[in-house]
Amino acid sequence: MPRTASPQARRRRSGDGAITDVAGIEVGHYTDTRRPTGCTVVLAQAGAVAGVDVRGAAPGTRETDLLSPCNLVDRVHGIVLAGGSAWGLDAASGAVRWLEEQGAGLDVVAAKLPIVPGAVLFDLMVGDAAIRPDAAAGYEACRASSAAAPAEGNVGAGAGAAVGKIFGIARAMKGGIGTASVTVDGVTVGAIVACNALGDVIDPETGAVVAGARTRNGKGLVDTRRALLRGEAPRPVLAGTNTTIGVIATDAAITKVQACRLATMAHDGLARAINPVHTMSDGDTLFVMGTGRAKGSPGMMVLGTMAAEATARAVVRAARAARGVRVGRLHLPAACDLA
């Protein structure tokens, strides 16, 4: 059964940039061809100061406690985003193995130990749930990594993502993975987000729904917020069967405490671009990595604003880059199909 590492996108972007615009950051995807699922790695082989903020009520994560400002280790060498629910956490083991082979990691005298936190999203309803990212997938994603602008849409951790499931998967749409960056005074903040939200994706610039729950005939968008407020009842949803996960990176020099605060502020971007967000059925988790390659910093107020902006743009790009899929009887159209 074939497995492929997705190639990096070769096209130029239309002004939104990518997380790889941050010096010291590389990204690689692995996409499983047997069903829509996969994983994405964000690497900083030289190490990056890191933080995390988990906002969803049903997260699936690895080594997030390590990133608490109270705890010892303050640098990571990679972060893994994966499909496959909790099984997908195994992909991080493959990333650890690949990074060790490159000589990257925390010097613990006896060896160099790569520090690789991660988070997963639930994509098990799209195809055969027995197929999910494993250690080999994480390793292949690392092998495919580069500083080129990463592919978006139905690749890596976004391969099996869906959005707008609040009225049932049959009325949902295809989600995906997207990336964006913002630069101010020579300092860059970039984001990569795998959007598998329970709610709708909203364009913050216009307030319009880009992708989400569809009408009963499947030909239009409901606008979940307005539907709920006028009394349309959501279908019961199993906790943890959604989740938006992502990584925000900056070349500014930041501390571990600041990295955690940036992760918190980056969630403002999710709140602008997803509605509802941070629900009992989502495990929304955002990581931050700081490479310190820039000469200065515009300060936390500006960095936080940049982080939220890059995150919101990445969410919208994830929905717009997605392409519709048919898996068995399930049809998930994409934003481009309803446009």
Side-chain angles (χ1 to χ4, degrees):
M1 290 177 286
R3 294 166 171 256
T4 61
S6 298
Q8 302 301 310
R10 292 180 173 85
R11 69 187 187 282
R12 291 179 63 83
R13 299 191 175 272
S14 58
D16 276 334
I19 191 172
T20 47
D21 294 334
V22 175
I25 294 294
E26 297 180 329
V27 174
H29 296 306
Y30 165 84
T31 307
D32 200 317
T33 59
R34 298 172 296 170
R35 85 163 179 96
T37 193
C39 63
T40 298
V41 297
V42 183
L43 303 179
Q45 293 191 46
V49 174
V52 67
D53 190 355
V54 180
R55 289 292 180 94
T61 57
R62 165 191 162 114
E63 292 200 315
T64 50
D65 283 352
L66 178 95
L67 301 181
S68 167
C70 300
N71 293 332
L72 180 64
V73 175
D74 68 347
R75 288 182 175 268
V76 303
H77 305 92
I79 292 172
V80 172
L81 310 175
S85 192
W87 286 290
L89 291 171
D90 191 33
S93 298
V96 169
R97 180 163 63 89
W98 187 87
L99 284 163
E100 182 183 19
E101 291 174 0
Q102 313 314 307
L106 173 68
D107 189 349
V108 292
V109 182
K112 282 194 172 181
L113 174 62
I115 305 298
V116 184
V120 293
L121 55 79
F122 185 99
D123 59 7
L124 301 179
M125 289 185 287
V126 186
D128 184 355
I131 298 170
R132 51 252 183 174
D134 55 14
Y139 187 93
E140 290 302 315
C142 291
R143 286 186 59 194
S145 64
S146 80
E152 299 176 289
N154 300 18
V155 294
V163 300
K165 290 164 279 188
I166 202 162
F167 301 114
I169 188 70
R171 292 171 61 184
M173 291 178 64
K174 187 69 183 71
I177 195 164
T179 185
S181 68
V182 179
T183 299
V184 175
D185 292 336
V187 172
T188 299
V189 176
I192 189 164
V193 178
C195 185
N196 185 55
L198 178 71
D200 296 343
V201 174
I202 312 294
D203 185 344
E205 296 298 321
T206 65
V209 179
V210 176
R214 290 177 290 143
T215 54
R216 294 185 186 279
N217 66 9
K219 297 181 179 180
L221 291 162
V222 169
D223 191 329
T224 294
R225 177 176 66 90
R226 288 184 169 88
L228 292 174
L229 291 175
R230 65 175 174 258
E232 186 169 349
R235 287 190 57 178
V237 179
L238 181 65
T241 54
N242 303 282
T243 298
T244 296
I245 52 180
V247 178
I248 294 87
T250 181
D251 49 16
I254 57 175
T255 65
K256 190 176 182 182
V257 171
Q258 290 172 328
C260 289
R261 177 50 53 183
L262 284 181
T264 296
M265 297 179 77
H267 274 281
D268 292 350
L270 290 191
R272 291 175 202 161
I274 300 172
N275 195 328
V277 72
H278 305 140
T279 75
M280 292 297 290
S281 297
D282 288 285
D284 303 328
T285 300
L286 294 179
F287 297 92
V288 164
M289 303 171 76
T291 66
R293 298 285 189 92
K295 293 182 179 179
S297 170
M300 283 296 292
M301 184 66 70
V302 176
L303 284 176
T305 301
M306 294 167 71
E309 181 69 16
T311 299
R313 291 185 189 180
V315 170
V316 175
R317 288 192 64 89
R320 288 188 169 143
R323 294 297 179 264
V325 298
R326 289 184 183 272
V327 182
R329 299 177 64 182
L330 177 64
H331 176 217
L332 295 172
C336 60
D337 298 320
L338 268 61

